[in-house]
């Protein structure tokens, strides 16, 4: 990861609580480990020690911490704004669905429709 991208990400990361004991693995190394796992489609336990990565659980816990702090949502918005400012954002193939856009209050929803499936799904509980 280059220094320019890290300069965007680092301020978004939650501060590490002060505690006695050894210093945790650096945030930058953890992010590189997370990206390695995602890019190589491997498990946390298979992070190569020869690349300086520690135990996979450390990286998984840090990713969980960052997700709860909504780091990646904020980074996504920053990167979109930078692309837009540079005139590099192409929304011609964008897709918006109900997950991303909330329904306006007071607007009636269309009537519920019957499922197009042949039969009801089995109860999973």
């Amino acid at each position: 990861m280059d220094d320019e991208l890290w300069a965007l990400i680092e301020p978004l990361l939650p501060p590490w609580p002060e505690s006695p004991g050894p210093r945790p693995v650096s945030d930058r190394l953890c992010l590189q480990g997370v990206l390695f796992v995602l890019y190589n489609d491997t498990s946390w336990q298979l992070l190569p020690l020869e690349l300086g990565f520690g135990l996979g659980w450390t990286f998984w816990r840090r990713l969980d911490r960052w997700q709860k702090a909504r780091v990646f949502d904020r980074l996504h918005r920053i990167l979109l704004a930078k692309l837009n400012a540079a005139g590099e954002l192409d929304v011609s193939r964008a897709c918006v669905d109900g997950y991303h856009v909330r329904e306006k209050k007071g607007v009636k929803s269309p009537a519920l429709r019957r499922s197009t499936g042949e039969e009801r799904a089995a109860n999973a509980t």
Side-chain angles (χ1 to χ4, degrees):
M1 169 182 351
D2 65 6
D3 292 336
E4 185 179 353
L5 180 58
W6 179 245
L8 284 175
I9 297 170
E10 188 176 26
L12 302 175
L13 301 177
W16 195 257
E18 292 295 326
S19 63
R23 290 205 37 95
V25 176
S26 76
D27 285 334
R28 188 170 185 166
L29 183 61
C30 276
L31 183 58
Q32 289 172 334
V34 168
L35 295 175
F36 182 90
V37 166
L38 294 174
Y39 183 79
N40 292 297
D41 193 25
T42 187
S43 73
W44 296 106
Q45 293 82 10
L46 296 178
L47 277 168
L49 295 175
E50 58 271 10
L51 292 179
F53 298 129
L55 298 174
W57 290 111
T58 300
F59 294 79
W60 181 85
R61 282 191 303 267
R62 194 75 56 93
L63 174 62
D64 183 58
R65 187 170 180 255
W66 293 338
Q67 286 175 323
K68 287 176 181 169
R70 304 190 59 88
V71 169
F72 299 105
D73 291 334
R74 295 183 316 190
L75 177 62
H76 186 222
R77 287 189 178 96
I78 289 170
L79 293 175
L80 285 175
K82 283 186 152 305
L83 284 171
N84 190 40
E88 297 290 325
L89 188 61
D90 178 15
V91 295
S92 64
R93 296 181 62 190
C95 177
V96 179
D97 61 19
Y99 179 78
H100 295 93
V101 179
R102 298 173 93 184
E103 184 176 0
K104 290 184 179 180
K105 289 184 179 182
V107 175
K108 294 212 179 233
S109 299
L112 292 176
R113 308 216 189 291
R114 291 185 59 105
S115 171
T116 57
E118 291 184 24
E119 53 188 62
R120 295 182 66 139
N123 189 344
T125 58

